[in-house]
Amino acid sequence: MEKEKLEQLLNDMSLQEKIDQMLQLRGNFYQMDVNAVLTGPAAQLGIGEKDVDMAGSILGTYGAEALKKIQKNYMEKQPHHIPMLFMMDVIHGMKTIFPMPLAMGATFEPKLAGRCAETAAKEAACSGLHVTFSPMVDLVRDARWGRVMESTGEDPYLNSRMAQAQVKGFQGEDMGEEGKVCACIKHFAGYGAAVAGRDYNGAELTERTFRQYYLPAYRAGVEAGVGMVMTSFNTVNDIPASTNKWLMRDILREEMGFEGVLISDYAAISETVAHGYSADKRAAARGAVEAGVDIDMMSSCYSENLAELVRAGEIDEKLIDECVWRILELKNKLGLFENPYKDADPEKENKLILCDEHRALAREAAAKSCVLLKNEGILPLDRKKRIAFAGPYTNCKEIISSWAVTGDAKDCVSMEEAAREVLEEALTSYCEGSTMLNRDTKLAGFESTNRSQNDQKDTQNEKTEESLLAEAVQAAREADIVVMPLGESFLQSGEAKSRAMIDIPDVQMQLFRKVAEVNPNIVVVLFTGRPLDLREISEKAKAVLVAWLPGTEGGHGVMDVLTGKVNPSGRLPMSFPYCVGQCPVYYNEFSTGRPWHEGSKGLFTSRYLDVPNKPLYSFGYGLSYTTFAISPVVLDRTEMGAEEAVTAKVTVKNTGAMPGTEVIQLYIRDVAASVVRPVRELKGFEKVELMPGEEREVSFRIDDEMLSFIRADGTVGSEPGLFRVWIGNCSDTENGAEFVRK
Ligand code: BGC
């Protein structure tokens, strides 16, 4: 629709009609039985029937037929026949589920993340959806927080590259085109900094840390043209995000230049009352609209109060017009005025969803996201050996995350299914060995979903714990190698899934110990939504492979790696702590005045008495089946003027016997500055695929922007002085050089 016509439409709308556009309800208000997914607390909303009829958007319902029907009914009733927006959490795939986002971070391959987003968009669009609440770009440092699985990790640079690629993947150049959906970056802002890793907790961040570490990925998403941003549940500077005018108007709109739709998180506007910020829902509505939040997701704050606030002269109708304008513009960008059903097409759903091409991409991503933490020559598997699979993930199809709400476990390929395709039947055995969880473990949330019922069934497995264990021990005795697929249940990570202990469930550890007593040749394959405490596993197992929650084609992807069809190239996007007491632990920390280092003599250094300072496995770490030699760093100059650049290069050589891929990472430190700077920061990376004996030069151009930060006076720029550069295959590489910025 032309701009003038859209303006005319807005002018013609009544106040009530406008306010209706600002309400978003769950799909099951419309039809309780059709593919409606519950993703938040079922609050007593107090929404009248009229509001339900006229709400401008719905979330959590999909399916071409159902959405076409809802759209038709809605438009017939809507006074100006304005189409409705359909939104959904398509987080890591629609029906073809890709590895969870943290696993995608491990690929260090933004292009691949972009391709997965593009594919998810195709499946979502033909299912009738217009907007996905993805990507989640919150920086995460604390493994206790259950939502780390939804992020691409602890590094602002990696997160920014991933955010950008995914936004482009979902939206393409024009979100109105076939197969595209509008992306939504979330949760603005600082949600990943929840104090003590407890979900919904406040974020305690200095403004400098907030801006330099937490904001860049959101900014990258905005710069990539994202159409929507979602507020976060937490407070920022002690004010809830959804009513935080400074955050939404000054930073998001003014500084970042975001012009799209700002939606609240689920009931987040009304929750500002519980925060102790808004006196009541009326005040909450006023605070949120003043902050420029366009859509109220699943609360009645706007629908109950905005009209009254305007009539009482407490808010200017112009504020409402601004919000509705942005909503109408989004509908227009999606082409809904011309075609309100957009790509909803049952035939295409049949053809595209879970098609071979999509499954192949999911398999590629699952294999590329695997991170090999340890390997004492036992991997790739020797197929002539007798192999026993023992662990509750052996034949488990629940390998998509709790945020794969549109996905179906039944579509997944388990490890056993994949193994049976490639391993000698006579030489291989399969058993569970234990239940997934200790029988007394309580999992809150998602109770009403079928998926949690499956999990319950699992814990009530008919076999007794003893018989499961005995079966595994016997199999381990008879085997040369024991592959142990262990880990967290998928219901232990995700929203509201914080854990104070980041252990593998005890019942599985008992299995591991018993197996280790009879067979030392153990390969642990770890299924998890977060970094776990792997001290014992990593000490006793011969190999440890992190498979994360790898998605629909997880079994195939993991078996490709175990058999050596794919050489592992994933690198940790988030540190694996030594133990939970280190959390939050991350590589780009500040030094202290009393830094501890190997050989430190003084007693009064910054360290723990009982555990190391370093995580068990650092950011950027990961092994390959081949070996690589990285030459010393060579700089083309050792002095750099403000307008100049330094080129840093290394030569990488595959010194092993297999083709393989190394992730070359560039880190920089500003040695002394007007404010303290991190001990090192990732500023670039490149994946290099090399044949045995092959070598390649990798170079990075270091310019002034890479050296810039928020200086003591608040301005952004670099400062003269000494800089250290490292190029290697992990954040703790010592392969360095120095230059001076004049
Ligand atoms: C989550 C969001 C999600 C929304 C809608 C909320 O509980 O925090 O990430 O997009 O629900 O499902």
Side-chain angles (χ1 to χ4, degrees):
M1 188 184 279
E2 285 143 26
K3 197 171 171 214
E4 293 76 49
K5 277 196 183 155
L6 206 63
E7 281 168 346
Q8 191 54 49
L9 174 62
L10 180 63
N11 280 337
D12 288 350
M13 288 166 77
S14 67
L15 179 60
Q16 188 53 50
E17 230 183 315
K18 288 190 268 192
I19 293 168
D20 288 337
Q21 289 297 307
M22 297 167 72
L23 172 66
Q24 171 161 103
L25 294 176
R26 232 170 41 213
N28 55 358
F29 275 83
Y30 297 82
Q31 32 195 327
M32 301 300 289
D33 52 340
V34 184
N35 289 334
V37 180
L38 173 71
T39 54
Q44 284 301 314
L45 283 179
I47 304 260
E49 207 176 299
K50 190 90 184 53
D51 298 321
V52 174
D53 275 358
M54 288 298 119
S57 60
I58 63 169
L59 85 149
T61 297
Y62 65 92
E65 288 291 10
L67 295 188
K68 274 177 129 170
K69 210 156 87 190
I70 294 176
Q71 187 72 295
K72 186 166 175 292
N73 291 344
Y74 176 79
M75 288 178 68
E76 277 168 7
K77 287 188 204 155
Q78 210 290 334
H80 288 91
H81 312 297
I82 297 172
M84 193 181 228
L85 275 174
F86 299 127
M87 312 193 191
M88 182 91 218
D89 290 278
V90 181
I91 307 296
H92 52 117
M94 177 71 201
K95 285 287 174 193
T96 307
I97 303 295
F98 300 102
M100 66 185 211
L102 193 61
M104 288 306 301
T107 66
F108 274 68
E109 202 173 312
K111 256 198 200 143
L112 178 65
R115 281 165 63 211
C116 293
E118 195 183 334
T119 307
K122 278 187 195 156
E123 291 191 5
C126 69
S127 306
L129 295 167
H130 306 139
V131 179
T132 173
F133 296 133
S134 182
M136 188 272 225
V137 303
D138 300 318
L139 183 124
V140 292
R141 293 173 162 179
D142 196 327
R144 292 170 295 181
W145 195 48
R147 299 194 81 167
V148 300
M149 53 126 312
E150 280 178 76
S151 160
T152 48
E154 76 184 39
D155 184 73
Y157 176 73
L158 178 62
N159 287 352
S160 300
R161 295 274 310 269
M162 289 288 179
Q164 202 178 32
Q166 289 179 83
V167 168
K168 295 260 188 230
F170 283 125
Q171 297 188 170
E173 289 309 313
D174 172 2
M175 64 173 89
E177 275 176 13
E178 191 183 327
K180 304 295 174 201
V181 293
C182 171
C184 169
I185 57 168
K186 65 187 190 184
H187 306 82
F188 198 72
Y191 185 35
V195 169
R198 207 180 70 226
D199 208 0
Y200 315 125
N201 214 356
E204 295 290 337
L205 298 166
T206 65
E207 190 175 332
R208 189 170 267 110
T209 299
F210 183 58
R211 285 178 176 278
Q212 290 186 160
Y213 295 90
Y214 288 81
L215 290 189
Y218 306 110
R219 186 187 297 276
V222 170
E223 283 171 5
V226 77
M228 187 176 286
V229 170
M230 186 187 289
T231 70
S232 57
F233 287 125
N234 55 286
T235 53
V236 177
N237 277 345
D238 301 344
I239 298 180
S242 300
T243 43
N244 195 320
K245 211 167 156 185
W246 167 76
L247 185 62
M248 300 306 171
R249 293 223 181 250
D250 297 1
I251 296 192
L252 181 64
R253 301 269 189 214
E254 277 293 308
E255 285 183 25
M256 295 188 179
F258 177 62
E259 291 176 349
V261 170
L262 178 59
I263 188 167
S264 81
D265 201 346
Y266 201 108
I269 298 181
S270 63
E271 287 171 15
T272 63
V273 177
H275 270 290
Y277 179 79
S278 306
D280 50 27
K281 280 160 91 178
R282 190 174 199 271
R286 180 179 172 159
V289 85
E290 281 176 348
V293 179
D294 304 318
I295 300 181
D296 178 0
M297 184 201 293
M298 284 300 285
S299 101
S300 57
C301 290
Y302 278 6
S303 64
E304 273 174 8
N305 298 294
L306 285 184
E308 172 51 25
L309 282 163
V310 171
R311 277 195 281 274
E314 286 181 52
I315 58 166
D316 193 327
E317 193 169 340
K318 272 203 200 119
L319 281 182
I320 310 262
D321 287 351
E322 266 180 27
C323 296
V324 178
W325 175 249
R326 289 189 284 254
I327 297 166
L328 293 179
E329 265 197 320
L330 176 59
K331 292 185 176 185
N332 199 26
K333 271 192 204 156
L334 285 159
L336 299 185
F337 290 104
E338 288 75 29
N339 177 10
Y341 307 115
K342 198 168 182 289
D343 305 340
D345 181 346
E347 260 175 47
K348 250 194 245 152
E349 268 179 315
N350 278 339
K351 204 175 104 205
L352 278 181
I353 281 175
L354 289 161
C355 67
D356 291 349
E357 195 191 325
H358 295 184
R359 277 191 176 269
L361 180 61
R363 181 173 184 159
E364 177 188 345
K368 282 184 167 167
S369 68
C370 286
V371 184
L372 183 65
L373 297 181
K374 179 181 177 182
N375 186 19
E376 287 178 353
I378 195 169
L379 289 179
L381 291 173
D382 179 346
R383 296 190 214 186
K384 288 185 219 81
K385 296 237 160 97
R386 288 168 305 163
I387 302 171
F389 283 74
Y393 270 106
T394 296
N395 202 20
C396 176
K397 283 171 170 280
E398 284 290 4
I399 50 175
I400 54 181
S401 79
S402 61
W403 263 121
V405 289
T406 46
D408 225 318
K410 74 166 175 29
D411 298 324
C412 292
V413 179
S414 73
M415 274 192 71
E416 180 173 336
E417 287 167 335
R420 284 188 187 277
E421 292 172 18
V422 289
L423 297 180
E424 194 75 50
E425 204 185 319
L427 293 176
T428 321
S429 70
Y430 305 89
C431 69
E432 283 177 25
S434 80
T435 51
M436 183 69 75
L437 295 164
N438 297 8
R439 284 177 203 268
D440 56 359
T441 304
K442 296 252 178 311
L443 291 171
F446 291 86
E447 283 94 349
S448 58
T449 66
N450 293 336
R451 298 185 58 198
S452 92
Q453 281 153 20
N454 290 343
D455 209 65
Q456 281 305 105
K457 240 186 255 157
D458 181 53
T459 58
Q460 287 155 16
N461 199 306
E462 282 152 21
K463 291 183 188 168
T464 63
E465 259 158 54
E466 292 70 30
S467 63
L468 286 170
L469 195 59
E471 194 183 349
V473 170
Q474 187 54 31
R477 270 207 189 95
E478 289 164 10
D480 301 312
I481 297 170
V482 191
V483 176
M484 300 195 70
L486 307 175
E488 281 189 324
S489 155
F490 79 101
L491 287 172
Q492 287 182 294
S493 62
E495 187 177 348
K497 308 287 189 295
S498 297
R499 294 183 66 194
M501 310 299 265
I502 51 169
D503 303 327
I504 292 177
D506 199 42
V507 64
Q508 296 187 42
M509 286 309 293
Q510 282 170 27
L511 166 69
F512 174 73
R513 287 178 200 122
K514 288 282 182 216
V515 167
E517 278 170 19
V518 300
N519 193 332
N521 297 320
I522 297 179
V523 174
V524 168
V525 180
L526 187 74
F527 290 82
T528 181
R530 57 154 64 73
L532 293 174
D533 178 342
L534 295 182
R535 277 173 293 168
E536 192 177 340
I537 295 271
S538 115
E539 196 191 310
K540 291 188 188 154
K542 287 255 163 73
V544 182
L545 182 76
V546 183
W548 313 102
L549 292 169
T552 311
E553 283 289 320
H556 280 140
V558 172
M559 282 312 299
D560 287 345
V561 172
L562 290 181
T563 55
K565 184 175 170 198
V566 174
N567 192 344
S569 61
R571 301 292 179 262
L572 291 182
M574 190 179 177
S575 307
F576 268 51
Y578 185 85
C579 63
V580 73
Q582 283 186 332
C583 290
V585 61
Y586 45 95
Y587 84 94
N588 48 4
E589 61 177 7
F590 295 128
S591 180
T592 66
R594 296 180 177 192
W596 182 90
H597 51 82
E598 206 68 60
S600 282
K601 294 235 167 50
L603 187 59
F604 294 96
T605 53
S606 179
R607 63 173 182 141
Y608 297 106
L609 288 178
D610 44 3
V611 302
N613 283 3
K614 275 199 158 281
L616 191 61
Y617 296 107
S618 304
F619 174 86
Y621 175 81
L623 301 172
S624 163
Y625 295 152
T626 186
T627 47
F628 296 96
I630 302 172
S631 72
V633 180
V634 177
L635 304 180
D636 69 339
R637 56 175 72 191
T638 50
E639 289 188 345
M640 165 187 168
E643 305 294 310
E644 294 171 336
V646 171
T647 300
K649 64 180 180 201
V650 292
T651 302
V652 195
K653 183 172 182 178
N654 182 344
T655 49
M658 265 180 92
T661 301
E662 183 58 292
V663 181
I664 299 297
Q665 304 158 40
L666 166 77
Y667 294 90
I668 300 182
R669 176 177 188 172
D670 188 341
V671 176
S674 61
V675 292
V676 296
R677 304 285 300 125
V679 293
R680 56 182 63 187
E681 289 177 293
L682 182 72
K683 292 291 177 182
F685 57 82
E686 199 178 313
K687 275 181 110 166
V688 219
E689 211 182 317
L690 296 171
M691 297 306 283
E694 191 186 348
E695 60 177 40
R696 191 161 325 140
E697 195 177 276
V698 177
S699 65
F700 297 95
R701 185 178 181 274
I702 301 171
D703 58 16
D704 197 57
E705 207 192 318
M706 281 193 194
L707 312 182
S708 294
F709 61 101
I710 305 173
R711 296 178 285 213
D713 63 3
T715 59
V716 175
S718 68
E719 287 175 356
L722 183 66
F723 285 82
R724 230 161 253 154
V725 178
W726 295 267
I727 302 179
N729 56 8
C730 180
S731 61
D732 52 22
T733 174
E734 289 303 334
N735 191 32
E738 290 179 351
F739 70 90
V740 173
R741 145 92 165 82
K742 301 244 278 183

